[in-house]
Amino acid sequence: MKNTLSMLLTATSLFATTASAQMLDLEKEDLTLGFIKLTDMAPLAVAYELGYFEDEGLFVTLEAQANWKVLLDGVISGELDGAHMLAGQPLAATIGYGTEAHIITPFSMDLNGNAITVSNEIWEEMKPNVPLMDDGRPQHPISAEALKPVVEDYQDRGEPFNMGMVFPVSTHNYEIRYWLAAGGLEPGYYSPEDISGQIGADVLLSVTPPPQMPATMEAGTIYGYAVGEPWNQQAVFKGIGVPVITDYDMWKNNPEKVFGITAAFAEENPNTTIALTKALIRAAIWLDENENANREEAVTMLSRPEYVGADYDVIANSMTGFFEFEKGDVRPAPDFNVFFRYNATYPFYSDAIWYLTQMRRWGQIAEAKPDQWYFDVAADVYRPDIYLEAARKLVDEGMASEDDFPWDSDGFKAATPAADIIDGIGYDGRTPNAYIDSLPIGLKSDQKITGDRIDG
């Protein structure tokens, strides 16, 4: 009886969504979407595996990409119709930093999901500087102040201290810089003439593709890295490294990846864009519903080689509400991966503005910009109008609840309180320049990088 009822409900659901897809005159039905092998590509895998794309009349091929540059180039060239992207990529491309192209996002893929890991050797050097809890375990979150004496020892010996991040405009780059600066370490600056990001750096950050992070650290090329899952937990499972902080502990419920398409694709294929967004919203709902009850099934999907391809246990460690630091030190982390709750999928302007402030802070945006510039760029790239149109259709079809979406939002989240950020400095997307000026390390107001020094 239970199975019969389930089949009837499924059939009813499929009929409703298929009928809806027929009402939308799709401009393009066959799509190729790109992703990088990270846990937070999950909405794409779920939408594919559970038939949500097909429900919308879309026939989707998912293709893993070698690195973030290849992925971005594929979207710009049209080889890919859209992709799982670093949130900084659509913004950087639209303002012409690196590759120039107008990329938009109608859907934010997740909150949190990253961590910073150091090698066993560096961890042993950090441990004397880390406070302990009553049970003898390290007290979290761990500040980069614990790393600072280690870096200074390397400097005294004339040895560079190298760490990895995944791409110059990645969340991971800005997060590891944020963490280092909050601990009193200079993570380095960019200039139009020097795009290494290592001007004046105490810690030299370089690009390493996510799946290669553990092996690169094990080889001694880098001493630690910032990356998404499962590549921090992989280091623990392999016994080669220790995560020292998650991005949830760095900035509670911070924005992460987005789904990116070209503005031209959205203009030429408005109904297809709505259909795509609908399928992704449904996938995000499924990932978080009933207090993450579907996560084990999601982990089984992601562990397959065509998606993330890491061991089930490695992916499950963070996806099912826990996070392991040192071997055996497993701690609850129910919000380590958030895909829908807290309005995770809504493309907030204030999230875009935070990324832009970090680009300016470290010199990727070379000159000071007025607040209005930040607002305009955010509105040019983040498209809550598309998102809400897709959400409205899902509600009307009975696929989502009216209460699930921030219909009356002006695109700005409430300011993040100081207590929720590692350096104790709050963030308000409505005042980007005041925020930039409040950060002790980084470019201020009209400062810029000239040669190897800060001017202004």
Side-chain angles (χ1 to χ4, degrees), residues 254-291:
N254 64 91
E256 235 303 286
K257 303 294 191 309
V258 298
F259 180 74
I261 55 179
T262 64
F265 179 94
E267 289 162 9
E268 294 165 10
N269 306 284
N271 290 338
T272 299
T273 300
I274 293 294
L276 266 171
T277 306
K278 285 176 65 186
L280 291 172
I281 292 173
R282 287 184 67 194
I285 292 172
W286 183 87
L287 279 160
D288 277 11
E289 69 186 358
N290 300 325
E291 299 182 356

Side-chain angles (χ1 to χ4, degrees), residues 327-347:
K327 279 211 169 189
D329 184 4
V330 179
R331 307 192 188 199
D335 284 340
F336 181 85
N337 285 118
V338 173
F339 293 99
F340 187 71
R341 56 186 174 272
Y342 316 134
N343 296 314
T345 53
Y346 185 95

Side-chain angles (χ1 to χ4, degrees), residues 10 31 56 71 122 131 146 158 185 205 264 274 285 370 396 405 407 417:
T10 301
L31 304 175
E56 298 298 331
L71 179 145
I122 298 300
L185 288 164
L205 300 174
I274 293 294
I285 292 172
D396 291 347
F405 304 99
W407 305 104

Side-chain angles (χ1 to χ4, degrees), residues 20 36 44-45 91 135 162 216 219 310 329 333 344 360 362 436 440:
S20 168
I36 297 292
L44 288 171
L91 294 161
D135 62 6
N162 301 310
T216 305
D329 184 4
R360 171 61 190 141
W362 304 117
I436 292 168

